[in-house]
Amino acid sequence: MARHPSQWAVPLAVSLGIPVSLYVTFLLLGAFPFFQKHFLYAHKFNTLFWHDIDRPEYWGFARNQVTPFSLDTVDGETIYAWHILPLATYLKHEEKLQAAPAGFSRDITQTESFNILRHDPDARLIVSFHGNAGHIAQAIRPANFHTLTDTSHYHVLSIDYRGFGKSTGSPSEAGLIHDGVAAVDWAMHVARVPASRIVIMGQSLGTAVTSGVAEHFAMQGVEFAGVLLVAGFSNLPNLLSSYTAAGFIPVLSPLRSFPPVLRFFQGFVVDKWQSADRLAHLVSLTRARLRLTLIHAKNDLEIPYYQSDALFRSAANATIGQDLDDKQFSAWKKQNTVNRDDGTFVAIAKSDPNVVIREELVPYGGHNDVMLSSTVALAVMRSFEPDTDATSP
């Protein structure tokens, strides 16, 4: 016997009501700074209880290829870091490195790995800022370090932000920028690697940190070999209107059909992370050389690739010295873009041969695995090689 429509009403209401109630609860909790911080940074979600990050050999590194250590910030936090040797360099010093004590170093300046970096006049260093959640060795991060160091001569310095992993403190926008600045300061003033031999790069949340760090040093007249943003976003309130955590959990996107309600909840966002504005400022401050590269995967389910479009537009407008409206910018970008048959592209803006802004959309890699792609490694190589034509697709 067919059931009367009213018999379906209650179970249907319950099945819809549970997720709606959970979503509303999530929104209300997110309006409080304490919960918002934990939702945004997810810094407490890590595997420290079963992974010893002082033993990088677990992730396939050679003994003492990675030196765990800590550095201090201007506001008194202690930040956990890894210095990773390129394998080609490691091989030349393998005997000494194998014989040295392994694990966390309380004074990295006394280690063989530091001396290798410090006394190599041709050393190239990548300062890498990871995304939210986890710790320095979680998820794809060790694989990314392998990609950057296994077949190159590039050193890598990576950190866990305050509140992440073994670092002290609690995350905030200003705090994470302090952490990034501390890492670069260490590279330039302790390891004595000049900015011209440093590429700073970030993925996801790390792109916001990278933008803040690049702007900070640009205001001091410091210019790096390259600035690389992978899976970036224009600003946090804008991102949250389209962001899906883990690729399927919506944040504010269900509210896009109700603009006043969306704007209301966006107003509660504490850390704004205005990367688009920071990149425009970075371009305006450039005096000698800038290689700014934006990379995004077309199939990124967490941060849509049009977020990198917004970053490129902001930087490009500053580069060409005009604030083009939507129609004008679309026409300009079309003239400066090489489209590929798979729906991806390379767009380039430059004011002279030494200031080049490059946006590249790649077909695969999603939000995280794109970090393992050759496109990222090539972007680093372009930054370090001044004779390479950075304007070629």
Side-chain angles (χ1 to χ4, degrees):
M1 179 181 293
R3 301 179 72 179
H4 190 275
S6 61
Q7 294 178 294
W8 295 101
V10 172
L12 181 60
V14 171
S15 62
L16 292 176
I18 292 175
V20 170
S21 298
L22 289 174
Y23 180 69
V24 171
T25 301
F26 167 78
L27 286 181
L28 294 176
L29 288 175
F32 292 89
F34 173 83
F35 292 104
Q36 185 180 131
K37 178 181 297 186
H38 284 268
F39 292 158
L40 168 60
Y41 296 110
H43 51 293
K44 295 300 184 182
F45 292 93
N46 62 59
T47 62
L48 285 180
F49 53 90
W50 79 71
H51 284 148
D52 183 358
I53 56 178
D54 287 337
R55 297 293 177 184
E57 294 84 357
Y58 177 87
W59 291 276
F61 296 101
R63 177 183 173 87
N64 283 325
Q65 182 187 359
V66 179
T67 304
F69 70 105
S70 63
L71 48 89
D72 297 324
T73 67
V74 293
D75 58 343
E77 300 298 346
T78 300
I79 303 303
Y80 185 87
W82 275 9
H83 165 224
I84 309 162
L85 288 166
L87 272 185
T89 302
Y90 180 93
L91 183 61
K92 295 178 182 179
H93 305 270
E94 184 175 14
E95 186 174 347
K96 288 184 178 180
L97 288 163
Q98 287 282 344
F104 183 84
S105 173
R106 297 193 179 278
D107 184 359
I108 191 173
T109 64
Q110 300 302 308
T111 65
E112 184 67 23
S113 61
F114 176 83
N115 288 329
I116 292 170
L117 173 63
R118 170 69 182 84
H119 297 295
D120 180 358
D122 297 317
R124 302 290 188 269
L125 176 66
I126 303 166
V127 181
S128 178
F129 300 119
H130 63 64
N132 71 341
H135 52 63
I136 200 167
Q138 204 155 317
I140 56 93
R141 290 159 196 166
N144 174 236
F145 301 149
H146 277 294
T147 299
L148 295 172
T149 60
D150 283 359
T151 58
S152 78
H153 292 275
Y154 306 147
H155 296 248
V156 170
L157 172 67
S158 189
I159 64 170
D160 266 337
Y161 315 115
R162 61 189 61 201
F164 286 72
K166 293 187 175 184
S167 296
T168 64
S170 179
S172 67
E173 180 173 0
L176 266 63
I177 293 175
H178 282 320
D179 301 340
V181 168
V184 175
D185 273 335
W186 180 91
M188 294 194 300
H189 302 300
V190 180
R192 301 288 182 87
V193 181
S196 60
R197 290 195 270 117
I198 295 174
V199 164
I200 57 173
M201 65 178 287
Q203 183 256 347
S204 193
L205 173 64
T207 65
V209 177
T210 301
S211 300
V213 170
E215 179 190 40
H216 170 90
F217 283 101
M219 289 189 289
Q220 300 178 7
V222 177
E223 298 177 354
F224 299 99
V227 178
L228 173 57
L229 311 182
V230 184
F233 57 93
S234 57
N235 62 69
L236 190 58
N238 179 273
L239 169 65
L240 293 179
S241 67
S242 59
Y243 179 70
T244 52
F248 67 93
I249 303 173
V251 181
L252 297 182
S253 55
L255 303 180
R256 282 184 294 181
S257 299
F258 312 96
V261 179
L262 175 61
R263 288 192 295 270
F264 174 77
F265 280 102
Q266 285 176 323
F268 285 98
V269 177
V270 175
D271 291 342
K272 307 297 185 183
W273 290 110
Q274 298 282 1
S275 293
D277 292 344
R278 285 180 168 139
L279 292 186
H281 194 205
L282 170 65
V283 172
S284 71
L285 292 169
T286 299
R287 295 294 176 262
R289 185 178 187 274
L290 175 64
R291 291 290 186 272
L292 172 61
T293 304
L294 313 170
I295 296 173
H296 220 120
K298 190 177 180 181
N299 66 339
D300 189 332
L301 298 180
E302 294 189 39
I303 298 181
Y305 67 82
Y306 57 74
Q307 286 286 331
S308 281
D309 290 342
L311 290 173
F312 179 76
R313 176 174 178 171
S314 183
N317 275 333
T319 301
I320 61 181
Q322 300 181 55
D323 188 13
L324 305 178
D325 62 28
D326 291 348
K327 185 176 181 180
Q328 291 171 326
F329 184 79
S330 179
W332 177 90
K333 187 175 182 180
K334 185 176 181 180
Q335 294 176 345
N336 291 274
T337 298
V338 175
N339 292 297
R340 297 168 175 151
D341 57 9
D342 58 1
T344 62
F345 63 83
V346 176
I348 293 173
K350 58 178 180 175
S351 57
D352 63 62
N354 290 320
V355 179
V356 180
I357 318 299
R358 178 188 179 101
E359 180 190 9
E360 185 158 4
L361 182 68
V362 298
Y364 306 112
H367 187 63
N368 294 310
D369 287 348
V370 66
M371 289 295 290
L372 311 180
S373 70
S374 297
T375 304
V376 172
L378 283 168
V380 174
M381 293 170 67
R382 287 191 196 96
S383 298
F384 280 134
E385 302 298 332
D387 295 332
T388 299
D389 183 4
T391 64
S392 63

